[in-house]
Every structure is written in structure tokens, then in C-alpha cells.
Amino acid sequence: MIKIQSLKKTFGEKTAVNISEFNINKGDILGLVGNNGAGKTTLFRMILDLLKPDEGEVAIDGVNPAEHEDWKPTTGAYIDEAFLIDFLTPEEYFEFVGKTYSMSKEQIEQRQHDFDQFMDGEILDQKKLIRDFSAGNKQKIGIVAALFNRPNLVILDEPFNFLDPSSQNILKKMLTAYHEETGATILISSHNLQHTVEISSRIALLEHGVIIKDLPNENGSAEQELENYFNV
């Protein structure tokens, strides 16, 4: 699904990412963990062609995202608020996203309501712009938009941030169900070890831009090693 080779990105004297080789298989739920500054967001941005690597390359299904756009219609991502069009209402934003994928008005309305439990009555029909929502509800809007077209590849950076505990649990169940239904490849970065262990089939541990451990996580088998590393 995703092949990374000799990928390097530096900012001044700091090396943010330095990965010699790493493959993410189709259908993986990969949890990407590491302390602040480990390189998680930088890696996601390079996969999505939002940031140019200094060296090396990424391929999605054999396609370099910097050279072709074939991967875009089947990829959904949310990194931060910059992904939102905050002068729109959520309904207007979802309509924009749906039309990008040639969805009909009926399909767009139905897809919005597929996320009713997650949005919890706090997002639709509020008659306000995205910029006026709380950080947690902005996060929800971005996640919904990332999943709107039922993509084969989902990339979410710190999706549990800003969400209350109930919403975090709903999101875990939602992503697990989505994976079971579609077989999608899902990449998640998170500081929350418990959530990451519960939903990931595989966990990559970054330290100063280098993947120092690639852990299988069948039945939460990576939990103890991660707790030892982070001194939990």
C-alpha cells in the first residue's frame, strides 16, 4: 500500500524524519507513536505531498504522490484545522467535500447522517460557521470529512485530541467498524497509548525521526513494550 524509501526531512540542524525503509501493508491499522518532535506529523505531511522530502520518496500503491494525483480520490486525511474551510457551515463544507467526489445531494445528506452518533447533535443544524465551533467539534468535522467518501486510505493526526471521553470511545468503535466494513488502510498518530493499542493491528515507534520499533499488536501485545518505553 505505502512504501517509504530513504526518506529524510530536516529543518535547519534538526532532522525531523530519517527512515531508510518502511512498508505499510494494505489493510493495516498502523498506530504511529512517539514523544513530541518525534516526526509523526512531518511523516504524514510527506505521505500526503503537503511537504517535500529532502531525500527519498513515498509511494502509494506504486504512485509517487508528488508526481501523480491518482491516489487523491481514494485517500481521506485530517491533520489540523488548516484542512477545514472555516468560513463555511458544516453542512456547506460537507456539501463541498461530497461534490468533490461527484456525490449527489441525497448521497451527501445521507452520508452526513451516517455520523450522527459521533457528531452528537452538536454540529449539524447549528446555524454557525466552522470557525465558531469548539476545538473538539472542529476535530469531529475534519474526521467526518476525511471519511466522507469511504476512502481506501485514511490518515488521521492526533484524532483523539480535543475530544471528550465519550467521543473518543465512539471514534474508536467507528474506525474499527469502518476497517471491518471496507478493509481500508488506516494510519493514526496519537499520544494516547491506550486508544492506539486498542485499535491498531501494528504500531510504529518513532524517536527523533527514526522508526526504532515496528511492533505487531495482536490482542494488544505491544502494550507492555510501549509502556516500558514511555515509562508509563
Side-chain angles (χ1 to χ4, degrees):
M1 181 68 175
I2 299 176
K3 187 172 185 179
I4 296 169
Q5 289 187 307
S6 305
L7 193 67
K8 189 172 183 179
K9 184 66 183 179
T10 59
F11 298 100
E13 297 182 355
K14 176 180 172 57
T15 299
V17 170
N18 186 9
I19 300 173
S20 57
E21 184 175 3
F22 189 68
N23 295 324
I24 301 167
N25 305 315
K26 181 177 176 60
D28 277 350
I29 304 180
L30 178 73
L32 194 63
V33 300
N35 289 315
N36 288 337
K40 303 183 295 297
T41 301
T42 301
L43 175 57
F44 280 175
R45 288 187 174 277
M46 287 192 287
I47 292 174
L48 293 167
D49 192 35
L50 298 172
L51 188 65
K52 302 296 183 186
D54 297 324
E55 300 175 18
E57 66 176 23
V58 173
I60 300 175
D61 286 336
V63 173
N64 184 335
E67 297 176 356
H68 302 279
E69 296 191 354
D70 297 353
W71 57 279
K72 288 186 177 180
T74 57
T75 300
Y78 183 68
I79 303 296
D80 55 34
E81 289 183 20
F83 275 54
L84 304 173
I85 304 175
D86 69 358
F87 58 82
L88 300 179
T89 66
E91 290 89 345
E92 290 170 336
Y93 181 56
F94 294 143
E95 182 178 4
F96 168 80
V97 172
K99 286 183 175 179
T100 300
Y101 298 115
S102 301
M103 297 171 69
S104 68
K105 182 178 180 180
E106 292 74 20
Q107 288 174 320
I108 292 169
E109 289 180 355
Q110 178 56 55
R111 191 63 177 137
Q112 289 179 80
H113 290 293
D114 288 343
F115 298 96
D116 279 345
Q117 184 185 20
F118 183 53
M119 292 191 286
D120 194 28
E122 297 180 342
I123 292 172
L124 299 180
D125 302 317
Q126 300 302 300
K127 294 182 172 58
K128 62 181 183 179
L129 305 179
I130 291 173
R131 65 185 175 215
D132 297 322
F133 281 85
S134 67
N137 282 331
K138 288 178 184 176
Q139 186 96 345
K140 289 183 180 183
I141 293 166
I143 292 168
V144 169
L147 295 172
F148 212 72
N149 193 43
R150 300 180 69 83
N152 296 327
L153 172 62
V154 179
I155 298 177
L156 301 174
D157 192 23
E158 297 289 352
F160 301 105
N161 271 8
F162 309 119
L163 299 185
D164 59 55
S166 294
S167 297
Q168 290 177 11
N169 287 327
I170 291 170
L171 177 58
K172 283 190 294 183
K173 293 175 182 177
M174 189 170 77
L175 291 174
T176 300
Y178 183 76
H179 179 262
E180 291 173 351
E181 292 167 7
T182 66
T185 305
I186 301 176
L187 280 58
I188 295 175
S189 75
S190 181
H191 287 112
N192 190 307
L193 293 184
Q194 180 182 350
H195 293 338
T196 305
V197 168
E198 286 179 358
I199 68 173
S200 301
S201 59
R202 180 182 174 196
I203 296 177
L205 175 58
L206 264 73
E207 184 178 275
H208 303 303
V210 177
I211 295 178
I212 61 170
K213 291 185 182 293
D214 179 8
L215 303 171
N217 189 43
E218 185 176 357
N219 298 318
S221 59
E223 183 174 11
Q224 188 60 57
E225 192 161 354
L226 291 173
E227 288 182 354
N228 291 340
Y229 175 82
F230 290 107
N231 295 314
V232 175

